[in-house]
């Protein structure tokens, strides 16, 4: 039995040896040699293909950089009208940290006194260097500005807040950083966590793969990856997210090739700009530069160690470790990373212990960076007149605007308050605020949901403007001082106008006739009959010409109902008309953009301050006086009641037929604003201009406007007392007397008297 | 044996061939430093005429700031940096839009830029803001005369 079994075993061994011998001999048969050569050539061709992919992809990698949009930079100087709390809010918006440190982007506050270290910024007109300064406030005024060593400082420009971006179609977003701009500690943490053999391997680390495999086997799940940073970069750059052996082999081969072609620093720099780190408002955030702004609202170089550790922590799963949604997970992973840094002697154990005790130190939610879609919409429209879509979404342009975050906040507060009080779910709103002299757009909302993009009512809602058109009828008249002054009497009795074989008889809102009234009263009380009579006297062509010279550039239907505002204008068009009055008679085109720089900070375009000839400043001063009267004794006297005593504003209410639209347009010394309320389906709102738009406008100006309309004298005008009832000269003590400006030669003559 | 050696060696020869390009860099553009502030001597040809400010045209604060901007603009103008001069004056316009000097300064820059129509309108605007400042009015009139 034993012999037999031995024989069988011996036969098996002989058979095995025979198989090996045959296999070895087969290896050298001509057929196999040919097959091997073919396979080698195919492999070589494949490697050549991968090599070409690697080199062309890496050399030509042009990250598509969205255009970044910035608010106006805050200019600090003694006398600036801003309170300490508003100033602190500006610093908070810019991500300044309240700390004892003197590093850029920090400040200290003691009461109304601040010590701050600015970051500096490169603007289109020069560099604003980082500076330490002392700033003091008294009430709503910046009272003292000094350098840290008490040397005088006339002007200090802070860096501008980023308010949005214009994205490419794939919605990737990043701020490019070079390897030298990245904090060394961040790189050290990254390598410690993701690839601590980075500087010794050649693209693939077998040791790491084996270690990860063992860990994963022990855990029964994939808990550790063996991919090097080079492999991760290859995966992000060139490959899909597919999980297969084939893809892993391809990834490893490409990583080897990448390391053959490029040095470690180049690979690391590409990685820190490519790595996916967050999703925000529909945009994928790549790279540490933007992630630092997203998570902490500050530049990368200002991050603390715990913040750097958190950035590296989220690489493993930006959604899973989202620190706002899952703070406990993010904190736990950050702390594991800090422990690792201790083990690798990058931090002392004491430091690890202290840093682990720190909270997450997140900035405000990144939504607030991109919270002004209606304003960004305006910026895009103005840019498209100059740049292609590709320029806007890919070339990293820097767009500097006149957006004022303080005023935007006030607009949003006023609209929220006003619309809530009106308790009408369907009610919509639009507001535009500009600087009255420069025509720069300071703030804008396109609907009552400020954070939603969509129909931008401020720019696109064409609605009947009602009586807000009337000042331009009076302006057309006051340009003829030989015929008209603010005291000229107009008959406010019923009027019928024939036009195109039909008859039109407008009535006053109160259905009353008011007899002979001075023009200033007709304007202030918004009398339809008097205004239509005046328009009829002037002629429709004269009124159309006045509107066009005020900046209206569409065709106007020359019908008499134009006199009381049946014409449909957008809030944007209406504020353009009022801009001409607010700027003193010069038409100044509205603009939101000041300048555009390319990604290398080279100035590309500056949108200059331009004047266009408009009207005689004297006639405009008279209309402005009439509009002040509207807010003091006319249809908008609510404003005078609510605004601080002595704070002068000018404006006009507007209500369209059947109460479909509620308007107010008006200005102070530093702000012009148009407010519109209405329903999108054009159904009646039950609101007049005075009951809907005016209270919102007043709330806005009470909180945001700092300069009263000055009683600026215009050469060629004289002041005279007249009787408001008769339009005749009056003594100043008469109860119905008012002091009005007149163009020299147009003042009423006769004896001064008081009407009874 | 030689054939088997070839099978292994050929791909590696290819890989080593790729090593020649190791020094190539990725296409990341570094920020440049295009704008430099240049020092310029004062009161030179090309400087902007700056009548001294008077009490009536002083708006709420910011006069030292406006003065500094206008002086810097004048220096830029001397150096033929008209775009920079214009940008600096426009900052001054934002700070003090009721100050006739800012429009007068901008008018001078626009004139140098061969934009006489804008220069004329800006002079007119400046003049409309002057009330009792005879020195300012005189400067505007002289400059307007020199434009012809």
């Amino acid at each position: 039995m034993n012999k037999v079994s031995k024989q069988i075993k011996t036969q098996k061994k002989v058979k095995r040896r025979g198989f090996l011998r045959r296999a070895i001999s087969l290896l050298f048969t001509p057929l196999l040699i040919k097959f091997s050569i073919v396979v080698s050539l195919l492999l070589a061709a494949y490697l050549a293909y991968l090599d070409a992919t690697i080199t062309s992809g890496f050399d030509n990698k042009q990250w598509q950089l969205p255009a970044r949009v910035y608010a106006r930079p805050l200019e600090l100087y003694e006398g600036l009208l801003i309170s300490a709390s508003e100033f602190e809010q500006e610093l908070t918006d810019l991500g300044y940290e309240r700390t004892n440190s003197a590093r850029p982007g920090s400040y200290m506050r003691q009461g109304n006194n601040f010590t701050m270290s600015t970051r500096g910024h490169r603007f289109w007109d020069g560099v604003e260097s980082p500076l330490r300064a002392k700033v003091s406030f008294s009430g709503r005024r910046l009272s003292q500005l000094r350098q840290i060593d008490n040397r005088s400082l006339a002007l200090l420009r802070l860096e501008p807040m980023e308010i949005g971006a214009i994205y490419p179609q794939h919605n990737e977003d990043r701020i490019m950083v070079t390897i030298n701009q990245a904090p060394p500690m961040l790189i050290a943490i990254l390598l410690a966590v993701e690839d601590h053999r980075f500087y010794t391997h050649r693209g693939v680390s077998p040791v790491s793969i084996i270690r990860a495999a063992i860990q994963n086997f022990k855990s029964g799940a994939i808990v550790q990856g063996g991919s090097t940073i080079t492999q991760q970069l290859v995966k992000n750059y060139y490959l899909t997210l597919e999980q297969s052996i084939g893809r892993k082999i391809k990834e490893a081969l490409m990583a080897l090739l990448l390391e053959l072609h490029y040095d470690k620093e180049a690979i690391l720099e590409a990685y820190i700009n490519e790595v996916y780190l967050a999703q925000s408002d529909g945009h994928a955030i790549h790279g540490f530069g933007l992630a630092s702004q997203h998570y902490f609202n500050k530049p990368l170089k200002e991050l603390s160690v715990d913040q750097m550790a958190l950035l590296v922590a989220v690489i493993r799963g930006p959604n899973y470790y989202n620190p706002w949604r899952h703070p406990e997970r993010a904190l736990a992973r950050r702390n594991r990373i800090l422990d690792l840094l201790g083990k690798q002697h990058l931090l002392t154990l004491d430091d690890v212990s202290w840093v682990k005790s720190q909270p997450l130190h997140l900035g405000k939610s990144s939504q607030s960076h991109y919270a002004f879609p209606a304003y960004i919409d305006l910026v895009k429209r103005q840019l498209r007149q100059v740049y292609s879509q590709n320029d806007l979404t890919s070339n990293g342009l820097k767009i500097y605007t006149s957006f004022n975050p303080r005023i935007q906040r006030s607009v949003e507060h006023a609209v929220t308050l006003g619309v809530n009080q009106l308790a009408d779910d369907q009610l919509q709103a639009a507001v535009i605020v500009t600087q009255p002299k420069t025509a720069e757009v300071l703030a804008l909302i396109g609907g009552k949901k400020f954070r939603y993009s969509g129909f931008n009512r401020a720019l696109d809602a064409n609605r009947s403007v009602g009586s807000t058109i009337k000042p331009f009828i009076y302006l057309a008249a006051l340009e003829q001082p030989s015929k008209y002054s603010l005291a000229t009497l107009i008959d406010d009795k019923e009027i019928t106008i024939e036009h195109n074989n039909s008859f039109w008889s407008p009535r006053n809102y109160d259905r009353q006739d008011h007899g002979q009234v001075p023009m200033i009263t007709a304007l202030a009380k918004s009398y339809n009959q008097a205004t239509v009579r005046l328009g009829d006297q002037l002629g429709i062509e004269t009124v159309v010409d006045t509107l066009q010279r005020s900046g209206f550039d569409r065709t106007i239907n020359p019908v008499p109902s134009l006199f009381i505002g049946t014409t449909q204008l957008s809030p944007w068009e209406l504020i353009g008309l009022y801009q001409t009055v607010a700027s003193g008679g010069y038409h100044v085109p509205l603009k939101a953009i000041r300048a555009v720089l390319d990604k290398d900070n080279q100035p590309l375009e500056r949108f200059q301050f331009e004047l266009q000839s408009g009207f005689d400043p004297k006639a405009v001063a008279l209309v402005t006086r009439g509009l002040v009267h509207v807010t003091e004794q006319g249809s908008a006297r609510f404003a005078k009641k609510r605004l601080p005593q002595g704070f002068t504003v000018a404006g006009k209410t507007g209500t369209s037929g059947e109460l479909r639209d509620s308007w107010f347009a008006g200005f102070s010394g530093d702000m012009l604003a148009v407010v519109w309320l209405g329903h999108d389906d054009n159904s009646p709102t039950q609101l007049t201009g005075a009951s809907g738009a005016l209270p919102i406008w007043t709330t806005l100006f009470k909180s945001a406007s700092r300069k009263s309309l000055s009683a600026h004298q215009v050469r060629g005008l004289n002041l005279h007392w007249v009787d408001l009832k008769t339009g005749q000269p009056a003594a100043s003590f008469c109860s119905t007397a008012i002091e009005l400006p007149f163009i020299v030669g147009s003042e009423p003559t006769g004896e001064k008297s008081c009407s009874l | 044996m030689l054939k088997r050696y070839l099978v292994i060696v050929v791909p590696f020869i290819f890989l080593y061939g790729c090593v020649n390009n190791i020094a190539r860099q990725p296409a990341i553009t570094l920020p440049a430093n295009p704008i430099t502030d240049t020092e310029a001597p004062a009161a030179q040809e090309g400087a902007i005429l700056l009548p001294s400010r008077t009490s009536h045209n002083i708006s709420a604060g910011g006069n030292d700031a406006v003065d500094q901007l206008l002086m810097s603009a004048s220096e830029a103008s001397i150096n033929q940096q008209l775009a920079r001069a214009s940008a600096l004056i426009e900052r001054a316009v934002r700070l003090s839009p009721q100050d006739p000097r800012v429009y007068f300064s901008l008018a001078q820059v626009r004139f140098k830029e061969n934009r006489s129509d804008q220069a004329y309108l800006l002079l007119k605007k400046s003049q409309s803001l002057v009330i009792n400042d005879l020195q300012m009015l005189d400067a505007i009139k002289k400059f307007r005369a020199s434009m012809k």
Side-chain angles (χ1 to χ4, degrees):
Chain A
M1 188 66 186
N2 282 342
K3 276 185 182 178
V4 173
S5 65
K6 275 182 183 174
Q7 271 180 342
I8 291 168
K9 280 182 183 171
T10 309
Q11 280 172 358
K12 279 184 179 172
K13 277 182 186 171
V14 170
K15 274 184 185 173
R16 228 177 273 149
R17 279 187 206 128
F19 173 78
L20 281 172
R21 227 176 267 136
R22 278 202 304 276
I24 290 165
S25 64
L26 262 175
L27 204 62
F28 295 99
T29 60
L31 183 68
L32 193 68
I33 289 170
K34 283 178 189 166
F35 177 73
S36 301
I37 290 171
V38 170
V39 169
S40 301
L41 287 173
L42 285 174
L43 182 61
Y46 182 59
L47 286 171
Y49 160 73
L50 290 183
D51 187 68
T53 307
I54 285 280
T55 51
S56 70
F58 208 78
D59 285 345
N60 301 325
K61 180 72 177 178
Q62 292 284 332
W63 275 287
Q64 289 193 310
L65 300 174
R68 307 213 158 273
V69 185
Y70 296 96
R72 62 90 180 96
L74 181 63
E75 303 250 21
L76 301 176
Y77 53 89
E78 290 180 6
L80 174 68
L81 298 173
I82 185 172
S83 68
S85 60
E86 288 167 339
F87 176 65
E88 188 167 32
Q89 182 63 53
E90 295 268 355
L91 294 179
T92 307
D93 286 345
L94 289 171
Y96 275 54
E97 201 172 342
R98 188 171 178 171
T99 167
N100 290 329
S101 157
R103 69 178 177 215
S106 65
Y107 72 98
M108 282 188 292
R109 179 178 180 177
Q110 285 183 315
N112 285 335
N113 304 310
F114 292 72
T115 304
M116 61 185 296
S117 298
T118 67
R119 299 186 177 112
H121 192 81
R122 186 167 298 152
F123 290 93
W124 55 95
D125 59 357
V127 175
E128 198 78 37
S129 300
L131 191 74
R132 293 203 72 205
K134 293 196 281 193
V135 193
S136 300
F137 296 86
S138 175
R140 277 183 165 188
R141 183 184 167 90
L142 193 160
S143 54
Q144 195 174 60
L145 178 66
R146 291 279 185 274
Q147 296 190 48
I148 199 70
D149 56 6
N150 280 326
R151 278 185 295 157
S152 66
L153 185 58
L155 185 62
L156 173 59
R157 182 166 44 166
L158 297 185
E159 59 273 24
M161 179 176 106
E162 187 183 324
I163 55 168
I166 302 169
Y167 295 98
Q169 276 192 332
H170 56 61
N171 275 338
E172 270 188 30
D173 194 6
R174 56 172 55 75
I175 294 174
M176 294 297 296
V177 288
T178 64
I179 194 70
N180 296 326
Q181 290 168 334
M185 189 63 188
L186 175 66
I187 299 297
I189 298 171
L190 171 70
L191 296 183
V193 174
E194 292 295 324
D195 189 358
H196 76 276
R197 288 189 169 79
F198 179 70
Y199 283 106
T200 55
H201 65 63
R202 305 290 287 171
V204 178
S205 173
V207 177
S208 300
I209 293 170
I210 293 166
R211 195 189 61 230
I214 293 168
Q215 279 292 327
N216 294 343
F217 179 75
K218 280 183 184 170
S219 308
I222 295 174
V223 294
Q224 192 172 14
S227 292
T228 63
I229 274 186
T230 318
Q231 284 175 280
Q232 291 182 42
L233 181 63
V234 163
K235 185 176 70 183
N236 291 342
Y237 252 31
Y238 306 102
L239 304 176
T240 62
L241 294 175
E242 177 203 359
Q243 290 283 359
S244 69
I245 294 291
R247 194 193 63 79
K248 287 300 283 182
I249 292 170
K250 190 177 177 183
E251 177 189 296
L253 287 173
M254 290 178 90
L256 286 167
L257 290 169
L258 193 66
E259 295 244 358
L260 285 172
H261 282 292
Y262 302 99
D263 64 27
K264 292 283 185 185
E265 300 304 298
I267 290 168
L268 203 49
E269 185 167 274
Y271 181 87
I272 63 173
N273 285 296
E274 179 63 29
V275 62
Y276 166 64
L277 288 164
Q279 190 74 19
S280 171
D281 206 17
H283 311 296
I285 290 176
H286 289 256
F288 288 131
L290 185 59
S292 174
Q293 290 289 352
H294 173 72
Y295 287 119
F296 310 114
N297 195 26
K298 59 167 76 168
L300 200 53
K301 62 185 176 187
E302 291 177 17
L303 296 189
S304 54
V305 171
D306 62 288
Q307 290 170 321
M308 292 181 202
L310 182 61
L311 270 193
V312 174
V314 296
I315 292 176
R316 194 55 62 86
N319 294 326
Y320 187 80
Y321 293 110
N322 182 323
W324 283 295
R325 268 188 276 157
H326 308 293
E328 68 299 331
R329 284 182 198 164
L331 190 71
R333 177 149 174 80
R334 185 203 72 175
N335 288 348
R336 280 202 299 278
I337 285 173
L338 290 169
D339 285 335
L340 182 68
L341 300 182
K343 282 180 193 161
Q344 296 193 9
H345 307 295
L346 286 166
L347 291 178
T348 65
L349 293 179
D350 283 348
D351 286 344
V352 169
S353 174
W354 186 82
V355 178
K356 278 173 72 176
S357 70
Q358 295 299 302
L360 285 174
H361 283 144
L362 295 170
K364 59 188 175 182
S365 169
S366 65
Q367 260 205 336
S368 56
H369 286 145
Y370 302 103
F372 315 108
Y375 194 93
I376 298 294
D377 181 31
L378 167 65
V379 170
K380 280 186 198 169
R381 294 189 200 199
Q382 295 200 332
L383 283 171
R384 281 196 195 116
Q385 295 167 12
V386 184
Y387 297 102
S388 70
Q389 180 69 10
N390 187 54
D391 284 338
L392 293 180
T393 58
S394 305
N395 293 334
L397 300 181
K398 293 172 181 169
I399 318 293
Y400 292 86
T401 73
S402 49
F403 181 85
N404 186 320
R406 179 178 66 82
I407 294 176
Q408 178 77 19
R409 265 192 293 274
S410 293
V411 169
E412 294 177 2
H413 171 73
V415 169
T416 304
L417 197 72
V419 169
N420 285 348
Q421 283 176 350
L422 293 168
D424 175 352
D425 289 343
Q426 301 303 312
L427 196 64
Q428 270 298 350
V431 180
I432 306 173
V433 186
T434 65
Q435 210 290 340
K437 305 298 177 197
T438 64
E440 289 187 327
V441 183
L442 308 176
L444 186 145
I445 61 155
K448 65 180 175 183
K449 291 185 175 175
F450 318 124
R451 309 287 170 252
Y452 288 85
S453 54
F455 184 49
N456 194 340
R457 293 164 189 83
L459 307 182
D460 297 325
N462 286 322
R463 309 290 295 232
S464 296
V465 291
S467 298
T468 54
I469 203 85
K470 286 177 182 167
F472 301 91
I473 320 294
Y474 290 84
L475 176 58
L478 292 165
E479 273 197 301
Q480 303 175 33
S482 60
K483 292 184 183 171
Y484 299 100
S485 72
L486 288 174
T488 301
L489 295 177
I490 306 283
D491 199 351
D492 186 55
K493 70 180 180 191
E494 203 171 331
I495 180 172
T496 300
I497 293 180
E498 184 187 352
H499 182 75
N500 286 348
N501 299 322
S502 61
F503 295 92
W504 179 57
S505 302
R507 297 302 313 273
N508 283 328
Y509 182 72
D510 61 5
R511 303 271 157 190
Q512 303 287 314
D513 296 344
H514 303 96
Q516 295 279 339
V517 291
M519 270 177 40
I520 192 169
T521 303
L523 175 60
K525 305 281 187 185
S526 204
Y527 292 152
N528 288 338
Q529 294 169 171
T531 306
V532 169
R533 181 163 280 105
L534 179 62
D536 193 41
Q537 288 172 9
L538 294 164
I540 188 82
E541 295 78 14
T542 306
V543 172
V544 168
D545 176 64
T546 301
L547 289 169
Q548 286 173 336
R549 284 159 57 213
S550 300
F552 191 73
D553 57 5
R554 280 195 288 132
T555 306
I556 301 173
N557 190 15
V559 293
S561 61
L562 170 69
F563 302 145
I564 54 169
T566 54
T567 310
Q568 294 191 338
L569 269 66
S570 66
W572 178 257
E573 289 172 323
L574 186 65
I575 202 167
L577 298 180
Y578 273 77
Q579 191 73 48
T580 304
V581 176
S583 72
Y586 295 89
H587 176 59
V588 191
L590 302 173
K591 63 171 184 173
I593 304 164
R594 290 180 177 173
V596 180
L597 270 60
D598 71 10
K599 68 178 190 301
D600 301 323
N601 294 316
Q602 295 279 8
L604 287 181
E605 190 89 29
R606 219 170 55 75
F607 294 75
Q608 292 188 336
F609 176 71
E610 299 277 346
L611 287 179
Q612 293 173 8
S613 59
F615 298 89
D616 179 356
K618 297 191 286 294
V620 172
L622 296 184
V623 169
T624 303
R625 178 65 185 88
L627 292 174
V628 169
H629 198 57
V630 173
T631 66
E632 290 181 340
Q633 296 184 32
S635 58
R637 57 191 176 278
F638 173 87
K640 186 180 171 69
K641 287 180 195 163
R642 289 296 172 92
L643 290 169
Q645 197 174 8
F647 194 90
T648 306
V649 293
K652 185 72 190 78
T653 50
T655 312
S656 69
E658 299 176 41
L659 308 177
R660 295 174 196 276
D661 301 278
S662 167
W663 294 89
F664 191 78
F667 52 97
S668 63
D670 60 355
M671 281 170 47
L672 161 66
V674 162
V675 177
W676 168 84
L677 297 178
H679 292 155
D680 281 343
D681 63 4
N682 209 21
S683 58
T685 63
Q686 309 306 319
L687 295 171
T688 63
S691 65
L694 176 61
I696 291 175
W697 185 95
T698 307
T699 304
L700 166 63
F701 274 62
K702 192 175 177 185
S703 72
S705 178
R706 297 293 147 82
K707 285 185 184 169
S708 167
L709 200 58
S710 61
H712 176 66
Q713 297 169 28
V714 175
R715 284 185 306 124
L717 290 183
N718 285 334
L719 292 170
H720 295 275
W721 286 92
V722 293
D723 189 324
L724 260 184
K725 288 199 169 175
T726 63
Q728 293 303 303
S732 59
F733 53 79
C734 298
S735 61
T736 55
I738 183 173
E739 195 177 36
L740 293 178
F742 291 87
I743 294 175
V744 174
S746 70
E747 52 273 71
T749 53
E751 288 294 313
K752 290 181 180 176
S753 62
C754 291
S755 61
L756 296 173
Chain B
M1 189 67 182
L2 178 67
K3 289 172 187 171
R4 192 174 61 164
Y5 182 69
L6 283 173
V7 170
I8 298 163
V9 166
V10 165
F12 279 92
I13 291 172
F14 174 77
L15 289 178
Y16 276 100
C18 301
V19 177
N20 295 332
N21 294 326
I22 200 160
R24 272 193 267 172
Q25 294 291 314
I28 298 171
T29 313
L30 302 176
N33 189 0
I35 302 169
T36 50
D37 288 323
T38 48
E39 292 294 327
Q44 285 188 4
E45 190 175 337
I48 295 170
L49 295 170
L50 293 175
S52 60
R53 67 186 184 218
T54 55
S55 57
H56 79 266
N57 64 31
I58 294 175
S59 60
N63 286 287
D64 289 344
V66 170
D67 286 351
Q68 180 180 301
L69 288 169
L70 295 184
M71 289 301 293
S72 300
S74 184
E75 288 174 10
S77 175
I78 290 166
N79 291 331
Q80 292 303 309
Q81 297 173 329
L82 297 182
R84 179 170 147 77
S86 171
L88 289 165
I89 298 170
E90 286 183 30
R91 279 174 71 191
V93 171
R94 288 183 203 110
L95 262 50
S96 193
Q98 288 294 102
D99 186 339
R101 295 177 308 149
V102 296
Y103 301 101
F104 181 46
S105 301
L106 197 54
Q108 294 173 61
V109 172
R110 292 285 182 268
F111 184 64
K112 286 184 179 180
E113 292 173 331
N114 294 319
R115 300 187 59 197
S116 301
D117 55 336
Q118 273 298 302
Y120 177 75
L121 282 169
L122 286 160
L123 282 181
K124 213 170 137 187
K125 169 95 180 169
S126 175
Q127 194 168 354
S128 74
L129 294 171
V130 180
I131 303 300
N132 294 317
D133 186 349
L134 295 177
Q135 189 194 358
M136 184 78 204
L137 281 176
D138 189 46
I140 293 171
K141 279 177 187 164
K142 279 182 180 162
F143 186 75
R144 183 179 286 173
S146 74
M147 287 170 63
K148 289 171 184 169

